[in-house]
Amino acid sequence: MSLSLTLLTYGLGTQIPLTAMAAPLWLPYAVVAGTVAGGCWVIAHECGHRAFHPNPRVEATVGFVLHSLLLVPYFSWQHSHAVHHANCNHMEGGETHVPPRAESRTGQIVAGMSRRLGPQLFGITSLISHLLLGWPLYLLFGVAGGEKYGAPTSHFTTAAPFRNGKRALFPNACLPLMQLSNLGLLAMIGILIMAAIQFSPARMLCVYGLPYLVINAWLVGYTWLQHTDTDIPHFSTADWTWAKGALQTVDRPYGPVLNLLHHGIGSTHVCHHINPRIPHYNAWKATTLLRLRFPHLVRHDPTPIHRALWRVATRCAVVQQASAGGGFFYQPQLGQEI
C-alpha cells in the first residue's frame, strides 16, 4: 500500500507543469506525496527492527531499498537506532533527541537564545531547525546525540573527527555495512542526477526534493514528540534503567488517516519501545493491553498534535535535574508559563 500510493503520488507530480501558473500546486503536492512516502520510511523502520518478515535477507533487502530510495543510510541507521532503543532517555548514552544540560556550553547557548528571542520567535526557530534541518544534521554530524559518543559523529564515516567520544557510536564491525549503506545512497543520487539530466533539474527538485523535505519533517516531528515534553524526564547513568527510559515514550493522537498511512508509528510508540519486534499491525492490540494492565505507566497525551508540537518547540530548550537522584526536566524560560 505504502509503495503503491507513493509511486502514484510521485507519478502525478511528473504531470504538474513547471510554470508560474502551476506554482500553487507544488505545495499541496509536496505535502501529500511526502506524507504518503512516510509510510515507506516506517516500513523500512520495521525491517530495521526485524519486525517485517521472518526471512532476514528479505527483510534487509526491503529495508535497504526503501531507505536508499529516501536517501537514508539503512544499515548505519539500523545500528544507531538500536543504540537509541537500548538507551532511551539516557543523558549520556542516548542516541537521539538528547537535551542539553542547562550548565553545559551548548545549554547556555540554547537557553540564552531562548531568553533573547522570547517564546514565540524561539518556537518558530526551533520548528525550522528541527523539522527542516534536523534530519540531515543528525545524519551528517550526530546533532542531538548522547554525550558518551562525542561530537560530531556521522552515519557515513568513522574517520576523524567523527570518532572522539568515550564510546564509539559505530564500532569497526559496523564499517562494511556502513559502506554498503553509502553505496545505496550513491546509487540513488546517481539515479536522481540521471533524472535531472533527462527531465531537467527543476523537475527533479520539485518532484523528488519537495516531498523529501516533508518526509524528513514527519520523521523528526514524530520522534521529537515521542521523546520530548515538559513532563518527560531524562536520566543520568546513576539513575537510568532500561525500563525507566523506555516508559518515558509517549503515544499521541494522530488520527485515522495518518495512522493508516504511517502504520500507527506515533500512536503505539510506547509498545514499540517495550518490544520493537512487534509488527505495526499487532501494535494496536499490544497497546490496548498495556494500557489496561499498566494504566499508570503507559504515557498517552491527548493534546492535538499541532498544540503539542508548539508546546515542545517553545518550552523545551534545556534540562536541569529536579532533585538529587531524579530526572532531568526541561526548564521554563523567561516569559513562559510553568
Side-chain angles (χ1 to χ4, degrees):
M1 181 196 75
S2 292
L3 186 58
S4 298
L5 289 177
T6 298
L7 293 175
L8 174 63
T9 54
Y10 278 60
L12 293 175
T14 64
Q15 304 305 307
I16 301 176
L18 292 171
T19 63
M21 291 292 293
L25 297 175
W26 285 109
L27 179 59
Y29 161 74
V31 172
V32 172
T35 300
V36 168
C40 292
W41 211 109
V42 176
I43 293 298
H45 165 265
E46 295 251 306
C47 293
H49 280 295
R50 295 296 319 278
F52 178 74
H53 196 278
N55 187 319
R57 292 185 177 180
V58 171
E59 201 166 45
T61 300
V62 172
F64 175 70
V65 171
L66 288 179
H67 263 184
S68 296
L69 290 173
L70 300 174
L71 294 180
V72 179
Y74 175 71
F75 294 108
S76 303
W77 163 85
Q78 183 184 37
H79 175 78
S80 66
H81 193 63
V83 173
H84 159 66
H85 270 260
N87 299 275
C88 186
N89 281 47
H90 193 307
M91 288 294 295
E92 294 81 28
E95 210 286 310
T96 182
H97 292 293
V98 179
R101 302 173 192 257
E103 67 275 13
S104 69
R105 182 179 179 183
T106 300
Q108 291 172 358
I109 294 173
V110 173
M113 182 182 300
S114 175
R115 287 192 295 269
R116 287 192 298 272
L117 296 178
Q120 304 296 320
L121 189 53
F122 178 77
I124 294 171
T125 303
S126 187
L127 286 173
I128 293 172
S129 63
H130 278 77
L131 301 183
L132 186 63
L133 303 175
W135 180 241
L137 288 177
Y138 166 70
L139 291 180
L140 289 168
F141 306 114
V143 171
E147 302 165 0
K148 188 180 294 184
Y149 310 107
T153 59
S154 175
H155 281 67
F156 305 104
T157 179
T158 58
F162 297 107
R163 195 171 187 169
N164 53 17
K166 296 179 181 178
R167 175 181 171 187
L169 177 58
F170 295 102
N172 290 334
C174 295
L175 293 183
L177 288 178
M178 177 181 280
Q179 293 167 352
L180 181 57
S181 300
N182 292 344
L183 288 175
L185 296 193
L186 289 174
M188 184 58 192
I189 291 171
I191 292 172
L192 293 175
I193 291 174
M194 288 189 292
I197 293 172
Q198 179 69 28
F199 302 106
S200 83
R203 172 65 65 182
M204 188 276 294
L205 289 173
C206 288
V207 172
Y208 183 88
L210 293 177
Y212 175 75
L213 297 178
V214 175
I215 296 168
N216 292 351
W218 276 119
L219 165 63
V220 174
Y222 271 119
T223 55
W224 199 11
L225 289 178
Q226 284 161 354
H227 303 290
T228 309
D229 215 326
T230 53
D231 63 342
I232 294 180
H234 291 68
F235 300 95
S236 61
T237 301
D239 307 310
W240 180 89
T241 64
W242 177 85
K244 189 188 291 186
L247 288 170
Q248 305 317 313
T249 303
V250 58
D251 293 337
R252 299 188 185 274
Y254 285 90
V257 174
L258 287 176
N259 279 331
L260 173 67
L261 294 175
H262 295 162
H263 312 294
I265 190 67
S267 299
T268 62
H269 207 67
V270 177
C271 159
H272 177 65
H273 268 270
I274 298 300
N275 185 352
R277 293 290 297 274
I278 297 176
H280 68 84
Y281 46 83
N282 287 333
W284 294 104
K285 181 178 180 180
T287 295
T288 299
L289 293 173
L290 278 173
R291 290 177 184 173
L292 288 174
R293 181 64 180 85
F294 305 104
H296 59 298
L297 292 179
V298 179
R299 288 179 176 268
H300 176 264
D301 182 1
T303 305
I305 296 303
H306 65 284
R307 289 177 54 194
L309 190 62
W310 182 243
R311 181 177 65 224
V312 168
T314 55
R315 298 177 60 184
C316 295
V318 298
V319 294
Q320 282 184 328
Q321 195 170 28
S323 61
F328 287 76
F329 288 87
Y330 282 99
Q331 302 299 302
Q333 301 298 315
L334 186 64
Q336 297 175 339
E337 298 179 0
I338 298 177

